[in-house]
Amino acid sequence: MVWGSTYVVTTELLPPARPLLVAALRALPAGLLLLAWSRTLPRGDWWWRALVLGTLNIGAFFALLFVAAYRLPGGVAATAGAIQPVVVAGLAAVLLGETFRRRTAVAGAAGVAGVALLVLGPDATLDPIGVLAALAGTLSMAIGVVLTKRWGRPVGLLTMTGWQLTAGGALLLPLALLVEGAPPAYSVVNLAATAWLTLVGTGIAYALWFRGIERLPVGSLTFLGLLSPVVATLLGWVVLDQTLTPAQLLGAALVVFAVVHPQRAGGATHPGRDAVRPTRVGKGAARRRNPTSVRRRDAVSLTRVGNRAARRRNPTTARRRDAVRLTRVGKRAARRRNPTRVRSRDGGRPVPG
């Protein structure tokens, strides 16, 4: 939603015809501020990984986006970018093992149709170079999202964001100076708008975006990006006195459906697979810190997942398995805390192990 304010801020509060400079000033200062705050540089493989991610997510994406914006009407460029969630979902199925669901395809079609109704005008024309740039920018961002998810991060969230913004901004700045020439003089309003785009629209927004990539399946996460054209259209109506047609309202409704529909799919996952997957992330370090607590938590979470179905299939076996599992987890610690109470509770029954 913050990214949706970029169009109004850029067109109304910044010098015209400087898209690459605006992109460089969005990324590079934000990245350098985050690096100065964290004082952490990449190590080992993360030198080239940070450069690759910064190029895909920031540098190449911004450059191709502005080429498309110059050669295409804004509605055509936005509609081409609306296919990104489907591209990401397909790449995630291949590289991350995420399931490409039918509702993802349905939401993708609804998202493209909704964005087209929102921003695509009747006088839209197609320029081959502009279309290729828009599709290449969409593919660049999609690959960057999937690789960000696949590689994870070895450092804090803001540090990792700073690496990518610095790499992308360092790629954009010489390109902007070469193509657009020396920067113009900036007024106070221009500086305030640049500060908004740099600190909030780039630094904070990209940190939240990368956080979402970690926490959510990327096949459903990228549909949230469709909110940007909705916000841009609403700001045009509120700030610039633009009109909203019934077709645009229908497009906004389709976009909201496309955003919400894949998120609801998260509840229909396989419980056994989902219970096992988080335990593979950080259990080694957690067990070293507090092995008893981790074993107890694992036992409780696992018994909550499938015990009801197991009892329906074989009640006696399920009860015996649950009793053995629970006694192995916490009985030793319980005896150390209160041996008399444990013996009385057990009632003289033998304790496995």
Side-chain angles (χ1 to χ4, degrees), residues 9-322:
V9 172
T10 301
T11 57
E12 300 300 317
L13 303 177
L14 289 176
R18 296 285 180 160
L20 290 176
L21 178 64
V22 170
L25 293 180
R26 283 183 62 183
L28 188 57
L32 293 176
L33 284 174
L34 291 176
L35 285 184
W37 178 80
S38 65
R39 292 180 294 180
T40 303
L41 294 176
R43 296 181 180 178
D45 289 343
W46 276 102
W47 278 106
W48 67 265
R49 287 186 177 185
L51 180 61
V52 169
L53 293 179
T55 300
L56 292 172
N57 288 322
I58 311 295
F61 173 67
F62 279 177
L64 292 167
L65 179 68
F66 286 121
V67 170
Y70 264 117
R71 303 186 70 96
L72 295 173
V76 177
T79 304
I83 69 171
Q84 178 180 308
V86 178
V87 177
V88 170
L91 291 174
V94 175
L95 299 178
L96 303 178
E98 294 185 5
T99 304
F100 190 94
R101 304 176 185 277
R102 184 191 307 171
R103 66 173 60 204
T104 301
V106 172
V112 173
V115 172
L117 289 173
L118 269 174
V119 299
L120 196 60
D123 56 345
T125 58
L126 297 180
D127 176 80
I129 296 178
V131 171
L132 288 176
L135 295 177
T138 298
L139 183 61
S140 174
M141 184 69 167
I143 296 174
V145 167
V146 174
L147 288 181
T148 301
K149 179 77 169 183
R150 183 180 178 88
W151 288 342
R153 58 178 174 87
V155 292
L157 177 67
L158 295 181
T159 302
M160 184 68 177
T161 304
W163 290 355
Q164 296 193 47
L165 291 177
T166 302
L171 176 68
L172 284 168
L173 184 58
L175 183 63
L177 296 177
L178 180 64
V179 175
E180 299 173 351
Y186 268 50
S187 66
V188 175
V189 174
N190 298 151
L191 292 175
T194 302
W196 166 264
L197 291 179
T198 299
L199 300 177
V200 180
T202 303
I204 295 176
Y206 267 98
L208 294 174
W209 177 249
F210 294 140
R211 177 74 162 179
I213 292 174
E214 289 183 355
R215 294 298 187 96
L216 300 173
V218 295
S220 59
L221 166 79
T222 49
F223 282 95
L224 298 175
L226 297 177
L227 291 172
S228 292
V230 175
V231 173
T233 302
L234 292 177
L235 286 177
W237 175 59
V238 173
V239 178
L240 305 179
D241 292 328
Q242 296 174 349
T243 58
L244 281 178
T245 65
Q248 287 179 308
L249 294 177
L250 175 60
L254 285 174
V255 169
V256 172
F257 168 79
V259 169
V260 173
H261 195 54
Q263 315 307 325
R264 296 179 60 199
T269 54
H270 191 277
R273 181 189 63 200
D274 293 347
V276 173
R277 183 178 297 161
T279 63
R280 294 176 178 174
V281 176
K283 282 295 173 63
R287 287 191 179 93
R288 288 192 293 271
R289 291 194 301 269
N290 195 333
T292 304
S293 298
V294 172
R295 287 196 300 269
R296 186 182 299 113
R297 183 188 63 199
D298 294 350
V300 173
S301 62
L302 286 173
T303 55
R304 288 176 179 173
V305 172
N307 275 354
R308 292 185 180 178
R311 288 190 181 94
R312 286 194 295 269
R313 292 194 300 269
N314 194 331
T316 304
T317 302
R319 285 196 298 270
R320 184 181 301 113
R321 184 196 63 198
D322 296 346

